[in-house]
Amino acid sequence: MLDSSIHAIYPFRMKIRISKGGQFSLPAKIRRRWATDALVLEDLGDRVVLRPIPSDPVAAAVGAFPTKKGSATRARQRIRQEDRAAEGRKYGR
């Protein structure tokens, strides 16, 4: 059963025709709102669901998995500091 509360937030229904080649056009209003150029299609038996896929999945995943040791940015900063310190010891800087 579809959750009817989502339709109160985003009330948008439209009949879309499918071409002989199996193509259809996604309205610009929806493409802009989701800011994506790719979708995943799920056949759930009684309905078809389209879900947006991020254009850059790696960038979309940044920060999605926090660790106890801190963020990836802090880890990169720490590694750079350690590298500079090692170079300083090696070259007497």
Side-chain angles (χ1 to χ4, degrees):
M1 184 75 185
L2 292 176
D3 183 5
S4 61
S5 64
I6 194 73
H7 295 295
I9 299 169
Y10 299 109
F12 189 85
R13 286 191 182 192
M14 176 181 203
K15 181 179 178 181
I16 297 176
R17 295 194 181 266
I18 301 172
S19 74
K20 290 179 184 177
Q23 298 175 334
F24 66 91
S25 293
L26 196 61
K29 178 180 177 181
I30 294 174
R31 290 192 313 267
R32 282 191 299 267
R33 185 167 72 101
W34 289 103
T36 187
D37 58 2
L39 301 169
V40 64
L41 183 139
E42 294 179 73
D43 183 350
L44 300 178
D46 63 337
R47 64 188 177 277
V48 173
V49 177
L50 295 173
R51 297 186 191 277
I53 299 173
S55 297
D56 184 358
V58 174
V62 170
F65 304 105
T67 65
K68 293 178 182 178
K69 295 181 180 181
S71 71
T73 302
R74 280 190 253 140
R76 282 191 295 271
Q77 289 171 344
R78 190 185 77 246
I79 290 168
R80 287 182 186 131
Q81 288 172 347
E82 290 171 359
D83 287 347
R84 281 193 292 269
E87 285 182 15
R89 288 190 303 271
K90 182 177 181 179
Y91 298 112
R93 293 182 191 164

